Amino acid sequence: MSAAPRLLSPLSRQFAACLARLDPQAGPAVLQAAWLASEAVADGDVCVDLVAWAGQRCWNDALSPGVVFPELDEWENALRASCLTGAPGEFAPLILDGRHRLYLARYWHYESLLATDLLARAAAPSADLDEERLHRDLDQLFASNAGEGPDWQKRAAATAVRQRLCVISGGPGTGKTTTVVRLQAALQMHYRGSLVIRLAAPTGKAAARMQEAVRGAKGRLAIPPEILAVIPEQAGTLHRLLGARPDSSRFRHGRDNRLPLDVLVVDEASMIDLALMAKLVEALPPHARLILLGDKDQLSSVEAGAVFGDICAGGEGGLAASIALLHKSYRFDAVGGIGKLARAVRDGEADGALELLAQDGSPDFKWIVPTGSDDLRQLLLEGYREYGGALRERAAPEMLFDHFGRFRALCAHREGPSGVTGLNTLLEDALRREGIIPPRETWYYGRPVMVTRNDYNLMLFNGDVGIVAERDGERRVFFQGADGQLRDFAPGWLPQHETVFAMTVHKSQGSEFEHVLLALPDESSPALNRALVYTAITRAKRRIILRAGRDILARAIATQAERVSGLTERLRG
């Protein structure tokens, strides 16, 4: 959260008012700090750095005109004098640590719990390992990787077998799933197929992709059938794994009811927020291995925390032996367009990225400077041209999914002309004018929808994408599982959902498309940063179109998003 003028949310006002009722003696300095702590969590931070705000004038709106925060020493003295503030480990609504960080008590507890559990797991290497046998098994499993340079996949697998915590970070195409399937084989070969292994991901879409990738990678393994048979293919969501309870933030599994497993593999771990990661680690049996897969350079979770990135950064300390980085991309070669562009963005090389984009004739990417809604409408129609043809032909649901999954429009924001709502409306209007979808019909044939709230009764989860088609003359919404099987529901049964010709970059994590359009807004905003652009580019397997003004794009690539937390520092000891 940046120290800049802004409006104060109603939630933060109510939180401060609640604290004022708990302690009528609390002065403005304490209540202002409470505002900040509440706003920090809403903005994705775990805590607030008081140094960044001390002495600043903020929230210059009609309800709190010209608020000026105290100087640091005065502010911290006022906080320590209040019964609303405690030191780390004490019981109070606010926690002030020795590094000028102020937490809501719940988030201090999550961070402390997670750091303690991760360090304990990293400090307890697996026992009873036969190193000679491990080397022999890994040589067999990774024989196809033999060549010049280090075998990063093999090193990562060795880390996962030796350690009870293994964090594997790699960009697109670096073979994270291939590595995980082979390391599972190594574990089962070493322990004679006796391990209970579970696969999970933060969203239903990510779990489905993981399941599909694992099934494909298993098919390429030349190992004994009895070992192949005990490598799982089924993946589920973390909420389902932990046993989510309706209308409760607590799960069925926790410290007093551990998960019945020996190894847990979690894909797309960069999407996991602090609260969920803390609860997940707490639910693991002490002997279990935890293997986290992700890309530390991608966007962080929607909720508070940048946990995966913080853990990778903490590898310089107590977690050093548990961190494995994959450097070689098998999808994008060293000179390929998308890979080269993604690396330039990842490294913050704005000039280099713009120079690449300015090259004409590349089959991998295209840069378009906005000229108005007409060019955006044309880009959307062109991207969904095959899908529009499938709608005209009233194609079967399986064909609709195939065509729809080849292209996606991605946005930085939900609202605005170049936001999700604006692009969905723009394309629907264009499809109606072309006669592809009928006017004034909500559940038209071919409408794509994304579920935005979990429904455990229907087994539909946040991020699941469905398409409206027909069965026996009745309009239904079809969803495709990882095994390709379709389930269909009456439209009125669906949980909360939205049209999804366009989606936010955040929502696209865990997905891949043949072609991607990234439409950035015409004005800069706090949401535009390097991780957002990098994540969007790496959703594309073949071609990426960036529609953005030069200054907006350059500023986004140059901006490194940082979330305030103390996790990395704790992990470094």
Side-chain angles (χ1 to χ4, degrees), residues 107 110 122 157 232 311 333 382 401 407 423 459 504 534 542 546:
Y107 286 88
Y110 287 147
I311 293 173
D333 61 36
E382 183 60 34
F401 276 101
F407 173 80
L423 264 63
M459 300 303 291
T504 61
Y534 171 81
R542 293 191 178 182
L546 289 92

Side-chain angles (χ1 to χ4, degrees), residues 4 16 18 48 88 96 129 140-142 147 159 177 184 213 245 280 317 335 426 444 475 481 498 502 530:
C18 177
V48 60
L96 178 63
L129 276 180
Q140 175 190 343
L141 289 165
F142 290 89
T159 299
T177 304
Q184 287 182 69
R245 293 172 172 171
L280 174 68
V335 297
L426 188 66
Y444 55 83
R475 200 60 56 89
E498 61 188 18
R530 185 182 309 163

